[in-house]
Amino acid sequence: MDPRPNIINQRLKNIKTIIAVSGGKGGIGKSSIASVLALNLAKNGLKTGLLDLDFCGPSTHTILGINNLFPKEDKGIIPPEFEGLKFMSIIYYTGKKPALLRGEDISNIILELLTITQWGDLDFLVIDMPPGIGDAALDILKLVKKTKFLIVATPSKTTMETVNKNIKMLKELKAPILGIIENYQSHQFLKTKTESKISGVPILGKINFDKKFESAIGNTDKLLKTDFSRDLLKIIQKAILRHKNTA
């Protein structure tokens, strides 16, 4: 019997809330939301970790500007700290090369990362998930029992169709869903709100398209001053922080 799931339970037992940031498609700003969400939580005095499990294209280190920081080994792996944020990423093991991995390989890496990483006491652990509901999401559901899913969508018919499919799958798996954040908000926001009622998952808020966000990438001071960050902070205060003390 593989002992790693039991070890994972011990590694995560002192984390109050785990949020998996998920989305049906790539390019919808999922990693940006995960990064700035974690950064805002840390800047608000909450003990926060960020785990990048986006095997398709890990980018949280680029968004936050995390360079030349590496985990340390001491009875496992201790994540480096950046701007008060504990950070761990698949990038530490794949480097800049594409991760050409199949289902079993992905599952083994997730198992290993969760087993060896020592997060300690955290209020929040934010996980940047790969797009869709694949092996990584299923593994997280199996291994991290108290994960709550935060769904990212855009005001697009194709995106919402995929989002609704993902939500149905998560519900079938009895996975807790915090709600939907609509990114790149436009005049179609009301339509998206209507469609979300069909899925039975609330819209937590909207993030307006921010032309200045791209120029702030890699600089946390600039990121926190963007309209993107301000919009997300409003959502955090209204819809995320109330879950702080829930299991």
Side-chain angles (χ1 to χ4, degrees), residues 20 46 97:
L46 296 164
K97 297 179 181 179

Side-chain angles (χ1 to χ4, degrees), residues 22 41 45 48 63 74 103 117 123 130 164 187-188 191 214 234:
S22 179
L41 290 170
T48 307
I63 295 166
D74 185 6
T117 305
D123 293 305
N164 278 319
H187 64 282
Q188 298 183 49
K191 178 175 178 59
E214 184 70 22
K234 291 177 184 177

Side-chain angles (χ1 to χ4, degrees), residues 175-226:
I177 304 173
L178 288 173
I180 300 170
I181 291 179
E182 187 187 25
N183 197 21
Y184 306 134
Q185 190 273 333
S186 70
H187 64 282
Q188 298 183 49
F189 181 63
L190 291 177
K191 178 175 178 59
T192 308
K193 286 183 72 174
T194 301
E195 291 182 357
S196 77
K197 290 179 182 178
I198 298 173
S199 67
V201 175
I203 290 282
L204 300 180
K206 60 182 180 178
I207 298 177
N208 293 300
F209 179 72
D210 186 353
K211 295 180 180 179
K212 297 181 180 180
F213 183 80
E214 184 70 22
S215 63
I217 286 177
N219 186 312
T220 54
D221 289 335
K222 290 183 178 180
L223 282 173
L224 290 170
K225 294 176 182 176
T226 60

Side-chain angles (χ1 to χ4, degrees), residues 5-26:
N6 289 330
I7 297 173
I8 290 169
N9 289 334
Q10 291 299 311
R11 297 292 197 200
L12 302 178
K13 69 177 183 179
N14 293 322
I15 300 176
K16 293 178 181 177
T17 302
I18 300 176
I19 299 175
V21 182
S22 179
K25 303 173 78 64

